[in-house]
Amino acid sequence: MSEYIIKNGHVFDPVQGIKGDKKDIAIKDGKIVDKVGSGAKVIDAKDKTVMAGAVEIHAHIAGPKVNLGRIYRPEDKLFSCTPTKGMERMGGGASIPTTFKTGYEYAKMGYTTAMEAAMPPLFARHVHEEIRDTPIIDEAAFPVFGNNWFVLEYLKNQEIENTAAYIAWLLRVTKGYAVKVVNPGGTEAWGWGLNCLSVNDPVPYFDITPAEIVSGLIDANEYLGLPHSMHIHPNNLGNPGCYETTLDTLKLAEGKKAKNKFGRESVMHLTHSQFHSYGGTNWGDFESKAKEVTDYVNKNKNITIDTGNVTLDETTTMTADGPFEHHLTGLNHLKWANVDVELETAAGVVPYIYSPNISVCAIQWAIGLEIPLMMKDPMRCYITTDHPNAGPFTRYPRVFKWLMSAKARETQINAFKHKDKVLSQTSIGTLDREISLYELAQMTRAGPAKCLGLGAMCGGLAPGMDADVAVYNFNPDKPVADPEDIEKAFSRCAAVFKSGVQVVSNGDIVSNGNKRTLWVNAKVKDNPQVMRDISEKFIKYYSMTQNNYEALGHHFVPNPYALEVDAT
Amino acid sequence: METVTITMKNAPALYLEADNVSPDAFAGKKAAQIAELSVHEGNTTSTLGKYFDVSGDAGATAADTKVVVRGDVKKVKYLGFKMTAGELVIEGTADQYVGAWMKGGKILAKGDIGAFAATAMKGGELTVEGNAGNYLGAAYRGDWRGMSGGKILVKGNAGSDIGMYMLGGEIIVNGNADVHVMTHAEGGKTIIKGNAASKLGGQMVEGTIFVFGSIEVMMPGFKPNGEVELEVDGTKAKFAHFIGDMGERHKKKKGVVVYGNLYKKI
Ligand SMILES: [Zn+2]
């Protein structure tokens, strides 16, 4: 493999505590090294910013609901197609790009690892086929557990060990990475025409509460010692006043401690916290509760969050929170698709326009920025758009601009039709914090990597780590004359390396890299009861056989990378 | 106003996507530069000059430019695509997407035009001396935003699904219209001076349809609401009034439910 030396760049690396010092980064055999020979290819990074490749902790980029969005929204591709160019295949789609465009766009922005945040286990094969067809970036997928019949039955009887054995089995057969929970119990209730809007609403038939599901899944997660924590989209998403449900959910982590060998300290990851930080009783008195939520998270070190920033775009919402999507189509009257996944989950899809002329959308925009600006520890708060729910991931550079420049926020606030309402219902106008490049590296690299249990592998530039490196045309020594320059610089990298292969040069894709599928191989003690329960469910309930369920082999996972966990 | 005339000399073997034939794309260019503009035949991109003779230079702006298209353009799509000002005259019969996404200016089609003309039109005028195809003034596939402004006049007949998801503006058809008129519409007006087939105003939320001739089959979702004397596009007559689609959601304005309206001349 080739050797490279990235010379004279301003390096920002929270893993080593480097805050913009001029430093050379050497790459050899896919890893960061101390030194390379004189024959190494030189990348001139003078007056540029150098960071590790960014890590996406939560996006919907592969699988059946993403593809349903692509199929039922031809208009999303209408004026967003890009023809074949050099290494790049044709691509298309603005909020639900094709797999190829997804890989290219992440890479061009300096992202080298991404998590698909909701894999329906039954459709793991589809998820992995799309991951396989997404070039360059390493990916992993989180199977959803919060409405799964096995989990509901085991946790009703507080059987943590059986839940853990089932999780280990499911991660293995679906090549999954983490325990994802979406509207715990509520999506199952949706199958009965109901929902769970608080942590104490009982799930019909199963007679268990969301609180019991969440608490039990944290315990099972730590029993196994998985790399990532339990990752949750709580009940009552998106409704005025939902922050109380969010706080009730966060409190379920109280007293729980992370047990794992990966350096992860959190036991609960609250995703797209923007959607869960709403006050008020209706859309008229709708207001921000970002302070209440971040106050709690700031005090409780075993919780991490991501933002879910609204980008003020036309987009496509999609979630395994089936009842929420039905509620949303009732609000905006746009087309709705719903899929039930037997025994496991359900999903809905609805297009959405976050208009700067609608006060609710503008307030959502403000809440998404208040949260990271109010979080004291950037290592526990990560930037996402819950792609494509709050906006497309391709808008990250715009979100960075708003976070790094109070002037850019002010310009946007002044452009809102209901500016006064945004200022009265949120505190965005009083926040003058500007996120530094070092903090940005914490929020987009070192932080999410640590939270995912990948802190030793990616998210930093220490020797021995994977050589995932992004070089931006941004000179930190020069004052920012125009905030637009921030957005421009972070949109297209000068150079990107993935596992030591240069994949981007001057904003263009120059290699499809060597993408991997990350998954977790958790070993547990033989558990005949769980194995018997699984085969019984397949015989009695599933419409397919167990052999057709598993996503195994080269076709689905051509380049696997397993993180080994031993819970025997 | 300067006139640029393009005349077909080499008819394409496949359909030609000529999304650069508009006053906007031509504005400020000499004939030779216009001939260099791109067109697409199948998966091949080439120049307008490969297919058309170009004569005359464009005006400085779209508003100062008139484009005349001559010869057989039956296999040419997207004439007048996204135009905002100026004029376009199509002397023969054209294929799909004439005036699609247009915002202003005037298009005169002297022959027939194909389907999806004036897709999502926002303004301007489209006059068709022959017949129009299906999905005139409709939304793009999958989209919910059809024609929202401007005026379309078809002197012959129109195809099916005209004004689908219409939000505003006006469509007048002097002849007959085929099935599905203003399906899902939330505004706008369609006048059919000849006969209509069936499924008028299906899932219509708001908007108005006038029919001067017969309606083959009425939608069951429309209910009679008396008779009214009206003047419609210069014609004074008595109309039977129907409101609907009763199976669709409807907004309230000042406490009164607003329905879609269907008027049939008596
Ligand atoms: Zn999500």
Side-chain angles (χ1 to χ4, degrees):
Chain A
M1 235 181 205
S2 342
E3 295 185 3
Y4 291 90
I5 181 144
I6 302 167
K7 280 192 108 95
N8 289 319
H10 294 274
V11 175
F12 294 86
D13 180 20
V15 171
Q16 299 176 93
I18 304 170
K19 299 187 171 175
D21 305 349
K22 269 195 195 165
K23 230 179 134 352
D24 296 346
I25 301 293
I27 297 173
K28 186 184 178 182
D29 297 334
K31 302 279 182 194
I32 308 282
V33 291
D34 281 320
K35 276 203 199 59
V36 281
S38 56
K41 196 178 165 200
V42 176
I43 305 284
D44 179 18
K46 188 172 181 292
D47 298 335
K48 298 186 200 306
T49 293
V50 178
M51 293 184 183
V55 179
E56 166 70 271
I57 198 166
H58 185 113
H60 303 275
I61 45 179
K65 73 182 180 307
V66 181
N67 213 40
L68 179 60
R70 294 188 188 109
I71 291 165
Y72 101 141
R73 288 209 66 195
E75 75 278 10
D76 186 68
K77 278 199 191 70
L78 183 56
F79 297 123
S80 63
C81 284
T82 45
T84 306
K85 182 185 169 194
M87 291 297 302
E88 284 184 49
R89 295 203 194 196
M90 66 176 286
S95 65
I96 17 174
T98 58
T99 53
F100 290 97
K101 193 175 177 187
T102 299
Y104 301 145
E105 289 291 330
Y106 268 120
K108 287 175 182 179
M109 299 188 303
Y111 278 73
T112 47
T113 306
M115 301 290 132
E116 159 53 50
M119 169 161 74
L122 187 73
F123 294 117
R125 289 179 168 201
H126 180 162
V127 174
H128 284 293
E129 283 175 321
E130 287 198 22
I131 286 178
R132 181 196 65 191
D133 287 347
T134 305
I136 304 173
I137 54 173
D138 281 352
E139 278 179 282
F142 304 163
V144 286
F145 285 96
N147 292 279
N148 179 299
W149 290 7
F150 292 89
V151 170
L152 301 183
E153 286 173 1
Y154 292 140
L155 288 183
K156 182 178 166 175
N157 302 318
Q158 281 114 42
E159 296 169 12
I160 299 301
E161 207 175 321
N162 287 341
T163 307
Y166 174 73
I167 290 170
W169 174 83
L170 196 86
L171 292 177
R172 189 162 58 249
V173 299
T174 65
K175 292 290 171 285
Y177 190 84
V179 174
K180 173 72 185 299
V181 181
V182 179
N183 187 0
T187 302
E188 173 56 28
W190 171 234
W192 305 74
L194 302 167
N195 197 355
C196 297
L197 292 173
S198 86
V199 298
N200 297 317
D201 287 2
V203 184
Y205 176 76
F206 290 95
D207 193 26
I208 184 174
T209 63
E212 291 167 318
I213 299 170
V214 172
S215 176
L217 283 172
I218 296 175
D219 292 345
N221 199 94
E222 300 313 319
Y223 175 94
L224 289 168
L226 298 179
H228 188 28
S229 67
M230 194 270 315
H231 185 120
I232 187 164
H233 152 157
N235 305 91
N236 207 12
L237 169 142
N239 291 320
C242 67
Y243 84 104
E244 291 187 35
T245 314
T246 308
L247 291 176
D248 289 343
T249 304
L250 295 175
K251 283 174 191 154
L252 298 168
E254 262 169 32
K256 298 196 196 282
K257 278 191 84 158
K259 293 191 193 85
N260 65 95
K261 61 171 188 184
F262 299 94
R264 164 178 60 85
E265 292 172 46
S266 53
V267 296
M268 179 189 277
H269 179 77
L270 166 68
T271 189
H272 38 69
S273 49
Q274 177 271 131
F275 285 127
H276 302 280
S277 302
Y278 300 162
T281 57
N282 60 58
W283 297 114
D285 65 5
F286 182 66
E287 61 178 344
S288 170
K289 290 289 179 187
K291 181 156 192 328
E292 285 73 1
V293 172
T294 52
D295 275 354
Y296 186 86
V297 178
N298 277 329
K299 271 187 266 167
N300 291 275
K301 308 246 180 293
N302 61 351
I303 297 170
T304 55
I305 63 172
D306 67 80
T307 53
N309 284 97
V310 164
T311 63
L312 305 170
D313 284 290
E314 174 178 327
T315 191
T316 312
T317 67
M318 51 182 63
T319 168
D321 192 340
F324 172 76
E325 292 289 359
H326 181 251
H327 173 67
L328 192 64
T329 190
L331 290 176
N332 76 357
H333 308 301
L334 298 184
K335 52 190 173 182
W336 168 58
N338 180 74
V339 185
D340 181 66
V341 181
E342 56 193 32
L343 285 77
E344 296 174 352
T345 179
V349 186
V350 176
Y352 201 81
I353 301 168
Y354 290 97
S355 165
N357 297 330
I358 295 174
S359 66
V360 169
C361 300
I363 293 166
Q364 289 176 306
W365 170 87
I367 297 170
L369 297 171
E370 282 180 303
I371 290 168
L373 295 172
M374 289 172 169
M375 277 295 295
K376 289 189 181 138
D377 182 2
M379 285 297 284
R380 291 199 288 123
C381 175
Y382 320 124
I383 310 302
T384 68
T385 60
D386 187 20
H387 166 87
N389 284 304
F393 71 81
T394 48
R395 290 291 194 220
Y396 281 147
R398 188 164 292 178
V399 177
F400 301 163
K401 171 185 76 182
W402 287 323
L403 288 173
M404 291 169 68
S405 164
K407 190 176 150 195
R409 295 197 291 273
E410 198 188 320
T411 306
Q412 182 56 58
I413 291 167
N414 287 329
F416 285 130
K417 191 172 171 186
H418 305 282
K419 175 188 168 182
D420 295 345
K421 191 124 198 208
V422 174
L423 294 176
S424 72
Q425 302 305 91
T426 77
S427 51
I428 192 70
T430 67
L431 298 169
D432 54 9
R433 182 174 171 193
E434 295 185 328
I435 298 296
S436 68
L437 286 166
Y438 187 78
E439 289 171 325
L440 188 73
Q442 291 177 300
M443 289 175 157
T444 56
R445 273 91 173 158
K450 180 179 176 181
C451 173
L452 289 164
L454 295 170
M457 190 166 107
C458 61
L461 295 167
M465 296 178 78
D466 284 358
D468 300 345
V469 190
V471 182
Y472 295 100
N473 291 313
F474 190 83
N475 184 351
D477 278 352
K478 271 174 95 181
V480 177
D482 180 357
E484 297 309 312
D485 295 344
I486 301 172
E487 183 172 342
K488 203 174 146 218
F490 283 93
S491 294
R492 289 291 175 263
C493 283
V496 178
F497 291 83
K498 173 75 198 102
S499 301
V501 176
Q502 185 166 9
V503 291
V504 174
S505 175
N506 290 322
D508 288 327
I509 301 295
V510 291
S511 165
N512 283 314
N514 190 22
K515 84 109 26 64
R516 296 177 297 184
T517 305
L518 314 180
W519 69 285
V520 173
N521 188 20
K523 290 185 190 70
V524 289
K525 279 187 229 106
D526 280 345
N527 191 323
Q529 188 202 326
V530 169
M531 289 307 119
R532 203 167 47 237
D533 291 344
I534 290 168
S535 49
E536 191 188 281
K537 281 270 194 305
F538 272 96
I539 289 163
K540 268 175 93 171
Y541 299 116
Y542 272 110
S543 63
M544 63 160 70
T545 68
Q546 206 172 321
N547 288 337
N548 290 326
Y549 186 82
E550 301 181 359
L552 302 176
H554 186 265
H555 173 80
F556 297 105
V557 189
N559 194 13
Y561 181 91
L563 283 86
E564 304 287 341
V565 170
D566 192 345
T568 52
Chain B
M1 182 173 266
E2 306 297 322
T3 301
V4 181
T5 303
I6 65 166
T7 309
M8 180 65 80
K9 60 178 180 187
N10 291 317
L14 304 173
Y15 283 83
L16 191 69
E17 295 179 31
D19 50 9
N20 272 325
V21 176
S22 69
D24 296 77
F26 286 10
K29 294 187 174 72
K30 304 270 181 221
Q33 294 171 299
I34 292 168
E36 289 303 307
L37 289 171
S38 64
V39 290
H40 314 281
E41 184 181 0
N43 64 0
T44 308
T45 300
S46 52
T47 62
L48 192 62
K50 183 184 165 188
Y51 304 93
F52 291 91
D53 272 325
V54 181
S55 70
D57 301 335
T61 64
D64 295 328
T65 304
K66 177 176 176 176
V67 179
V68 178
V69 181
R70 289 202 172 132
D72 181 0
V73 289
K74 277 196 203 74
K75 288 174 102 171
V76 179
K77 298 176 196 278
Y78 293 101
L79 296 169
F81 175 69
K82 288 188 175 175
M83 74 181 262
T84 65
E87 288 180 39
L88 170 69
V89 177
I90 308 166
E91 298 204 332
T93 284
D95 196 55
Q96 299 179 343
Y97 291 102
V98 169
W101 292 278
M102 79 182 281
K103 287 183 180 158
K106 287 182 186 174
I107 299 180
L108 172 63
K110 293 192 173 174
D112 298 340
I113 56 169
F116 305 109
T119 291
M121 175 178 185
K122 284 192 169 161
E125 285 176 36
L126 168 64
T127 304
V128 186
E129 296 196 333
N131 301 317
N134 302 336
Y135 295 96
L136 174 72
Y140 181 72
R141 283 280 191 248
D143 209 318
W144 56 93
R145 291 155 291 199
M147 175 180 184
S148 58
K151 193 174 166 180
I152 300 173
L153 170 63
V154 180
K155 295 189 178 168
N157 300 321
S160 69
D161 299 279
I162 64 173
M164 184 190 72
Y165 279 111
M166 195 167 174
L167 301 168
E170 184 180 47
I171 301 175
I172 302 174
V173 181
N174 284 352
N176 305 325
D178 206 341
V179 296
H180 295 288
V181 175
M182 288 182 82
T183 309
H184 293 289
E186 294 203 31
K189 180 163 89 175
T190 298
I191 304 169
I192 300 161
K193 296 200 174 164
N195 301 325
S198 66
K199 305 181 188 77
L200 288 86
Q203 293 193 280
M204 190 182 199
V205 177
E206 235 182 293
T208 308
I209 304 172
F210 297 94
V211 181
F212 285 18
S214 63
I215 297 175
E216 212 173 288
V217 186
M218 272 293 288
M219 280 288 293
F222 276 74
K223 86 177 186 193
N225 192 40
E227 293 175 0
V228 278
E229 191 84 40
L230 291 171
E231 186 178 331
V232 180
D233 198 34
T235 303
K236 264 195 191 156
K238 209 174 205 191
F239 288 82
H241 182 208
F242 301 85
I243 53 172
D245 181 334
M246 304 316 273
E248 189 48 73
R249 73 193 154 86
H250 294 284
K251 276 177 262 185
K252 268 189 182 172
K253 279 183 192 163
K254 289 175 187 160
V256 182
V257 181
V258 181
Y259 293 98
N261 297 296
L262 173 58
Y263 295 94
K264 190 196 165 298
K265 196 167 147 238
I266 301 167

